[in-house]
Amino acid sequence: MNIHVNCQVKNEALLLEDILPEWAEYPIDRFIFLDDYSIDGTEEVIYDILGTSKAQVISGYNPMTFHEAKNRSAMLETSRSEKADIVISLDADELLTDPFIDQFDNIMLYALNHRIFTYQWNVVGAMRKVRQDKEYFANYRDFIFPMKHTGQYDMSLGQYHSPRTPPIKAPIHKLSDEFGFV
């Protein structure tokens, strides 16, 4: 199974120095980044930690014409062209929970034919403080894309209003909150 991570970044060098060593331990075949015109060495940090065989950075976008759907689409279509079976959308400040990693192979096998919703733990201020206000109490998201069931991003939604997830036409399944994103 060919599993990719898609991650959009902009001036994330300091954060990525801490996050990428964790990500490097994930059973991911390829990391596709879209560097949205960083000026802090983000691309160098990615290649220094993950290497060119494991990571690809798509760059060269003009900051004056930022378009969320086009950026996310560029990553997704790169993964599609590289025959990814599953794409996981991660932000540069996100980690997968330990139970998720422990059951990674089983979750990915199931994800091949399902639209999986995982809990997104929003940490604020300190690792032991999790947002539990109304908007985040049942914060399940579908950031895992089974590519044979995944469509393309809607480019008509506007420059800043694209969802993080493209359309997915597969039966829905919600995992326990222990299997999530932090």
Side-chain angles (χ1 to χ4, degrees):
M1 187 176 334
N2 187 7
I3 302 170
H4 284 204
V5 161
N6 284 183
C7 180
Q8 185 169 281
V9 292
K10 180 170 184 163
N11 294 327
E12 307 276 6
L14 288 174
L15 176 63
L16 291 173
E17 287 173 352
D18 290 333
I19 291 286
L20 291 183
E22 293 283 332
W23 286 13
E25 299 297 317
Y26 294 169
I28 300 295
D29 297 295
R30 193 99 158 110
F31 294 87
I32 307 296
F33 292 89
L34 187 128
D35 185 1
D36 193 24
Y37 221 66
S38 293
I39 58 172
D40 69 343
T42 290
E43 185 172 337
E44 291 81 9
V45 169
I46 291 168
Y47 286 132
D48 285 349
I49 296 172
L50 295 176
T52 56
S53 64
K54 192 115 170 155
Q56 178 180 352
V57 178
I58 303 167
S59 59
Y61 287 83
N62 183 336
M64 302 308 289
T65 60
F66 174 86
H67 195 290
E68 183 82 13
K70 287 180 183 177
N71 290 356
R72 293 200 179 277
S73 180
M75 291 183 293
L76 185 68
E77 295 311 315
T78 298
S79 290
R80 196 182 310 273
S81 73
E82 293 184 14
K83 309 274 189 256
D85 297 302
I86 301 278
V87 169
I88 301 171
S89 177
L90 282 177
D91 281 348
D93 62 350
E94 290 179 327
L95 297 168
L96 300 174
T97 62
D98 287 342
F100 190 108
I101 295 301
D102 293 344
Q103 292 296 315
F104 190 86
D105 291 341
N106 292 333
I107 292 169
M108 293 301 105
L109 279 172
Y110 195 73
L112 283 171
N113 292 300
H114 293 85
R115 181 178 181 187
I116 294 182
F117 282 79
T118 55
Y119 194 78
Q120 185 180 27
W121 298 88
N122 279 4
V123 176
V124 288
M127 283 302 286
R128 300 211 188 282
K129 185 170 186 211
V130 177
R131 280 187 80 164
Q132 289 293 298
D133 47 305
K134 183 180 175 186
E135 294 81 16
Y136 292 92
F137 186 69
N139 196 22
Y140 285 88
R141 307 298 175 109
D142 54 346
F143 296 155
I144 302 169
F145 314 153
M147 292 303 285
K148 69 181 177 182
H149 301 289
T150 300
Q152 297 178 322
Y153 283 95
D154 182 349
M155 300 297 181
S156 70
L157 293 175
Q159 171 173 16
Y160 296 105
H161 301 291
S162 176
R164 185 166 156 187
T165 304
I168 300 170
K169 294 185 185 208
I172 293 173
H173 182 80
K174 184 168 76 171
L175 296 178
S176 159
D177 66 7
E178 68 183 318
F179 304 104
F181 293 56
V182 178

